[in-house]
Amino acid sequence: MQLSTRHLLGIKDLNPEDISLILSTAEQFKEVLQRPVKKVPSLREVTIVNLFYENSTRTRFSFELAEKRLSADTLNFAASTSSAAKGETLLDTVNNILSMKVDMVVMRHSASGAPHFLSQHIPAAIINAGDGINEHPTQALLDAFSIQEKTGSLKGRKVAIIGDIMHSRVAQSNIFLLNKMGAEVTVCGPPTLIPKYIAQALGVNVSYNLKETLSWCDVANVLRIQLERQNQVLFSSLREYSLAYGINRRLLDSLQKEIVIMHPGPINRGVELDSDVADSGQSIILQQVENGVAVRMAVLYLLSGRKTAGN
Ligand code: CP
């Protein structure tokens, strides 16, 4: 089986069969990652560049590890230590790298649409590792994998996405994916951090009440306030935000059921999540990170066009 797309620019472009194929392929790679030798030859002779124009810990290491586990050759690029800092354009940088015979490009950029632009100008397969406030497709895929692993299925699952929806590429990719796979989504946060017409535009429920939302959901995916993407004051203080929308142990204990807590990272402890929630048995935050490697192996493998997953 094959994906319907040549690049992974966003979940928006995938159909449910693509998503199911990536998740089932990731299950096979997760099994590989449990073995004493965690490496397969699937992408031997394939060269991949990781182009990071914006900071990252999880996504950058996860892609690099996924590439190494697949036996690919990897190059790592950080904008701050490259000639991009001397004014070189994105297209010039990428064309120079591609002239060294690179097959695939993983890219994170603060500009929404940067990987889409690149896909129109270069022949290599491109994987979006997060573009501005647009999409973070591999995060949504690893979140879906983790929900499925923890709860058994995505279909019919009630998922709340809580926090700064307005500036979150994770929220947008998760909404696209969960809708395509038959889950029900509620976004919850202060009115200033939720786009005005999101219910009609993206087919989600909207709530401004945290306790009601937590009582409704099976899974809460909690987001960071993206201060770096805000150019105006959208709430009075982090303390006030935390009082209204922070998730603490007392609040979870007041619910009539146990819900699953997720967070894409990095966490602002004491703001959107207290440590006794983030580090509790209800939280699958580190399982999300672990699953990210298998999911990214699946994406790289399927987009490489190679026919046999190494075993
Ligand atoms: N979840 C996520 O994208 O984390 P990083 O910014 O550390 O890659």
Side-chain angles (χ1 to χ4, degrees), residues 52 54-62 108 129-130 136 138-139 142-143 169-170 224 229 263-266 288-289 296:
F52 278 73
E54 199 188 63
N55 294 347
S56 169
T57 298
R58 279 147 290 272
T59 312
R60 188 165 64 90
F61 281 122
S62 182
R108 170 169 287 194
H136 192 347
T138 56
Q139 181 69 45
L142 75 87
D143 289 346
R169 55 198 178 202
V170 173
R224 181 175 67 88
R229 299 193 205 283
H263 193 301
Q288 289 173 258
V289 178
R296 290 179 172 118

Side-chain angles (χ1 to χ4, degrees), residues 287-306:
Q287 285 99 307
Q288 289 173 258
V289 178
E290 180 186 344
N291 290 334
V293 179
V295 165
R296 290 179 172 118
M297 286 172 79
V299 167
L300 291 163
Y301 167 70
L302 290 166
L303 287 177
S304 73
R306 291 288 173 103

Side-chain angles (χ1 to χ4, degrees), residues 33 52 61 119 169 202 261 267 292 311:
L33 294 175
F52 278 73
F61 281 122
S119 72
R169 55 198 178 202
L202 297 186
I261 300 291
I267 304 171
N311 44 33

Side-chain angles (χ1 to χ4, degrees), residues 78-271:
S80 58
T81 54
S82 76
S83 290
K86 300 176 196 165
E88 186 168 58
T89 67
L90 172 62
L91 198 51
D92 277 343
T93 299
V94 175
N95 274 328
N96 275 275
I97 293 171
L98 290 184
S99 70
M100 299 180 223
K101 309 284 179 256
V102 168
D103 304 295
M104 301 175 83
V105 176
V106 174
M107 186 169 79
R108 170 169 287 194
H109 205 288
S110 58
S112 300
H116 307 71
F117 164 78
L118 215 52
S119 72
Q120 287 160 10
H121 292 92
I122 65 167
I126 297 170
I127 298 166
N128 181 1
D131 65 319
I133 60 168
N134 180 40
E135 282 224 42
H136 192 347
T138 56
Q139 181 69 45
L141 287 160
L142 75 87
D143 289 346
F145 185 95
S146 304
I147 293 172
Q148 200 169 262
E149 182 179 65
K150 181 72 182 175
T151 69
S153 71
L154 293 169
K155 194 167 171 55
R157 197 62 58 213
K158 291 180 174 163
V159 181
I161 305 176
I162 297 164
D164 184 357
I165 310 299
M166 178 89 80
H167 303 94
S168 174
R169 55 198 178 202
V170 173
Q172 173 134 287
S173 286
N174 263 272
I175 291 167
F176 286 141
L177 189 150
L178 292 165
N179 278 344
K180 285 174 197 257
M181 301 309 281
E184 195 179 342
V185 181
T186 293
V187 295
C188 174
T192 49
L193 292 179
I194 297 185
K196 207 167 176 184
Y197 298 108
I198 192 169
Q200 300 92 314
L202 297 186
V204 294
N205 311 308
V206 175
S207 167
Y208 306 120
N209 185 310
L210 179 61
K211 182 150 187 202
E212 275 176 21
T213 304
L214 294 178
S215 302
W216 168 84
C217 72
D218 306 311
V219 177
N221 198 349
V222 187
L223 305 176
R224 181 175 67 88
I225 297 286
Q226 310 237 342
L227 289 173
E228 74 275 24
R229 299 193 205 283
Q230 296 179 15
N231 52 15
Q232 56 183 310
V233 179
L234 295 170
F235 53 94
S236 53
S237 69
L238 286 177
R239 166 114 184 101
E240 185 179 304
Y241 177 84
S242 177
L243 285 172
Y245 292 100
I247 299 182
N248 55 44
R249 175 50 46 204
R250 195 167 36 81
L251 181 55
L252 286 189
D253 287 346
S254 73
L255 305 177
Q256 302 303 310
K257 58 181 183 180
E258 185 165 303
I259 61 170
V260 178
I261 300 291
M262 302 173 68
H263 193 301
I267 304 171
N268 284 324
R269 288 175 182 263
V271 180

